[in-house]
Amino acid sequence: MNKTLIRNANILAVDAAHGTKPFSGDLLVEGGLIAAIGPDLAPPDGARIIDGRDRLIMPGLVNAHTHSSETFFRGRYEGMPLEIWLLYAYPLLMNDPIGKRLLYLRSLLLAMESLRNGVTTLCDDFFDPPRHNLDRLGTVFRAYDDAGIRANVSSAAMNIHTLDALPFARDVMSAGLQSLLDFGPPMTAEAYVDFCKSAFDNLHGRAGRVNFMIAPSAPQRCTPDLMMACMELAMEKHVPFHTHVLETRTQAITGHELHGKSLIAYMRDLGLLRRNTTIAHSVWVSDDDMLLMGEAGVSVAHNAISNLKLGAGIAPVRRLMDAGVTLGLGTDGVSSNDTARIFDVMRVAGLIHSVSGPDYGKWVTADEILRMATIGGAKTAMLEHVTGSLEIGKSADLMILNLRSYPFLPFNDAAKHLVYSENGSSIEKVMVAGRIVMEDGRLTTVDEAAVFAELAELVPAWLEEHAELERRNGIFAPAMAEIHRRATLAELPLYRYQGDLPFLG
């Protein structure tokens, strides 16, 4: 049994007793779990001793929402709202799915970057059209298992035609273009649930770290019977019902156009607001929406950087918290963020909400951001009993940072340093389930140089194919731009932008 004793460290536990205030002590890891925390712990026979002087031990970070399918699109797009960006990152006209070797490497690369930067748990809303394939999903599981990270992985579903999930789409898009989007019969709720059950039977719980979660893409993209069947299975299996809701102003218009109510109210009426419900984004929610979410115990994955890059707006984070909603932090995909670093999201989230208004007593604090990045994120993943804080009996998912580094000199307040100063450069060691997966600047589970060399060899040709796919899908861009324009001009009693640019004319 592997045993590790970290001595004389500053421990930032994010537990009920200490919160985000560090205390001095030792931490003992046995069998992948935190076995003891306290002063002057006796080392068990055969234990590795790590000197914790001038070091900070804290929980590993949780990436509450990302998409591994975007990993090769880093640095590729900008200046596009979601509805146009989707044409290129998730094309309507598709090639064959990415090959299995690149699928594996793409997932592995995301895990590698995450671990290097202190993310020990990620929630991958994996999307792999045109169909669900257990073998391909298993390839993603294998990559995360090999990297040594903890992960929730979905096989995201939608079964409503794209043009019927967008306001104004059938009006603004020509019949000729619409005829190109004949996707065949939609997937049934029964078929998707059968696939999910197979994933639970064959993949869920791999290595004790990699789990399956259920992810109907969005309420406007899935039929009611599909979403309700997903919720029933999520509750049975005690996993998240992970979905996208009200990311953009266009989506805020969508609920009223399709259902005569907000998408949150629509979900409430279908019984889809539960403890299991984790909503990515939640930017264009109203006060009534937030009240419903808080009463139901819903969680939100706050994607502060992605919301900015895609021009979605600024989420009402303080009001969400006041309503009782649990908040975690997500990077979103590497295409709409360009890194897998939660430290970046922490800094942006710690700053952007100070422009929400002049009442500085309501600005989001570093302590709150740090909780979102750790125990809050664990709650959104329904893993708060496993990870997210340093407590006896929990998994030893943690990182050790050097306090004798630029981000911490001079040392004032740990939470403020971590949110506003740290970028991952001070990390010395990362541990997942008691196993050291990053140490002294290198990953211990993966040959990074070999992975980089293989990516350099294989990815350029795949990106050339994707560039041709982008050109093919560009024919839909004017219609998507018009949908965005019309949604911008539609009447809505919400405003989630910040700045002085006028609405589109």
Side-chain angles (χ1 to χ4, degrees):
M1 180 182 295
N2 292 330
K3 303 172 186 178
T4 303
L5 178 63
I6 309 170
R7 276 183 159 168
N8 302 316
N10 295 279
I11 301 172
L12 193 155
V14 202
D15 62 352
H18 305 95
T20 60
K21 301 302 179 185
F23 58 94
S24 298
D26 304 344
L27 186 145
L28 176 64
V29 176
E30 291 190 56
L33 303 177
I34 298 171
I37 301 174
D40 303 319
L41 297 180
D45 291 341
R48 177 183 176 182
I49 309 297
I50 296 176
D51 187 354
R53 287 176 297 177
D54 298 319
R55 302 298 187 269
L56 179 72
I57 310 174
M58 65 173 288
L61 304 176
V62 178
N63 188 344
H65 180 71
T66 189
H67 300 278
S68 62
S69 50
E70 297 176 28
T71 303
F72 293 158
F73 299 149
R74 185 195 313 270
R76 195 169 181 90
Y77 306 118
E78 68 174 354
M80 300 177 187
L82 175 78
E83 289 75 25
I84 297 176
W85 168 81
L86 285 170
L87 287 176
Y88 305 105
Y90 296 89
L92 294 174
L93 304 177
M94 294 180 286
N95 289 334
D96 291 336
I98 194 168
K100 280 184 63 177
R101 183 59 185 169
L102 277 177
L103 174 63
Y104 173 83
L105 292 171
R106 188 176 70 180
S107 309
L108 187 66
L109 182 62
L110 177 63
M112 290 162 59
E113 183 183 3
S114 299
L115 290 172
R116 266 198 163 276
N117 291 281
V119 173
T120 55
T121 299
L122 62 82
C123 296
D124 179 8
D125 192 9
F126 172 59
F127 184 57
D128 190 41
R131 59 188 59 86
H132 298 275
N133 182 291
L134 199 63
D135 184 52
R136 289 176 60 81
L137 181 61
T139 299
V140 179
F141 271 66
R142 180 165 58 88
Y144 294 147
D145 184 3
D146 291 348
I149 202 166
R150 187 179 306 281
N152 283 353
V153 188
S154 74
S155 185
M158 59 179 69
N159 68 340
I160 289 178
H161 194 290
T162 298
L163 299 183
D164 296 320
L166 286 165
F168 321 120
R170 294 289 186 184
D171 296 332
V172 305
M173 189 174 289
S174 70
L177 288 182
Q178 290 189 41
S179 68
L180 298 176
L181 301 177
D182 181 7
F183 302 125
M187 174 184 58
T188 65
E190 182 180 16
Y192 182 62
V193 167
D194 284 347
F195 174 82
C196 291
K197 289 179 177 178
S198 295
F200 281 116
D201 290 342
N202 293 280
L203 299 172
H204 185 65
R206 180 166 180 160
R209 291 182 282 103
V210 190
N211 297 313
F212 184 67
M213 68 179 183
I214 298 175
S217 176
Q220 73 274 19
R221 300 173 189 148
C222 298
T223 56
D225 65 326
L226 174 64
M227 290 188 294
M228 290 188 290
C230 285
M231 177 57 79
E232 182 179 354
L233 187 57
M235 293 182 66
E236 176 188 332
K237 299 295 186 179
H238 306 288
V239 300
F241 173 100
H242 192 106
T243 189
H244 301 73
V245 186
L246 293 173
E247 179 176 357
T248 66
R249 196 177 197 279
T250 299
Q251 292 174 9
I253 300 301
T254 298
H256 294 281
E257 286 285 325
L258 298 183
H259 308 294
K261 64 188 74 172
S262 80
L263 290 173
I264 291 292
Y266 173 65
M267 290 179 69
R268 186 274 313 274
D269 292 347
L270 294 177
L272 301 177
L273 299 183
R274 306 286 184 93
R275 163 65 186 95
N276 299 63
T277 308
T278 295
I279 290 172
H281 300 291
S282 186
V283 177
W284 290 85
V285 286
S286 68
D287 288 342
D288 289 341
D289 292 335
M290 289 183 264
L291 181 62
L292 294 175
M293 294 161 68
E295 289 176 345
V298 164
S299 298
V300 164
H302 177 37
N303 303 283
I305 292 178
S306 174
N307 292 343
L308 296 180
K309 190 178 184 191
L310 295 179
I314 300 175
V317 165
R318 171 58 64 197
R319 292 200 304 210
L320 284 164
M321 289 191 291
D322 287 348
V325 175
T326 296
L327 270 290
L329 296 180
T331 59
D332 213 349
V334 171
S335 173
S336 63
N337 182 312
D338 301 285
T339 86
R341 295 191 297 264
I342 285 293
F343 274 117
D344 292 357
V345 183
M346 290 164 64
R347 178 173 167 81
V348 170
L351 296 172
I352 193 66
H353 298 293
S354 298
V355 299
S356 59
D359 185 355
Y360 50 87
K362 290 288 189 179
W363 293 353
V364 181
T365 68
D367 294 281
E368 291 169 325
I369 295 294
L370 188 52
R371 291 176 187 274
M372 293 179 200
T374 53
I375 191 63
K379 289 179 179 177
T380 72
M382 298 192 69
L383 293 172
E384 69 271 24
H385 59 293
V386 175
T387 191
S389 61
L390 303 182
E391 300 181 65
I392 294 171
K394 280 195 171 185
S395 182
D397 297 356
L398 57 87
M399 61 176 137
I400 302 175
L401 299 100
N402 186 353
L403 296 179
R404 294 289 181 92
S405 61
Y406 286 106
F408 292 98
L409 287 173
F411 188 64
N412 286 295
D413 180 276
K416 294 180 181 65
H417 282 285
L418 289 166
V419 171
Y420 300 120
S421 302
E422 181 56 64
N423 60 4
S425 62
S426 305
I427 301 172
E428 289 188 337
K429 294 178 176 62
V430 176
M431 181 181 288
V432 179
R435 178 189 187 188
I436 293 178
V437 294
M438 199 280 280
E439 184 170 24
D440 298 330
R442 69 175 191 87
L443 295 175
T444 66
T445 57
V446 180
D447 184 339
E448 291 174 277
V451 171
F452 284 9
E454 189 173 2
L455 288 170
E457 179 182 353
L458 298 179
V459 172
W462 183 82
L463 286 177
E464 286 184 13
E465 294 178 9
H466 186 75
E468 176 57 32
L469 194 60
E470 291 169 334
R471 286 189 285 274
R472 288 170 54 202
N473 281 270
I475 60 175
F476 300 105
M480 292 301 177
E482 177 61 14
I483 292 169
H484 175 72
R485 190 188 74 85
R486 291 192 184 193
T488 299
L489 296 175
E491 184 175 346
L492 190 70
L494 293 174
Y495 193 80
R496 295 284 183 253
Y497 300 119
Q498 181 62 45
D500 58 359
L501 291 179
F503 272 10
L504 294 171

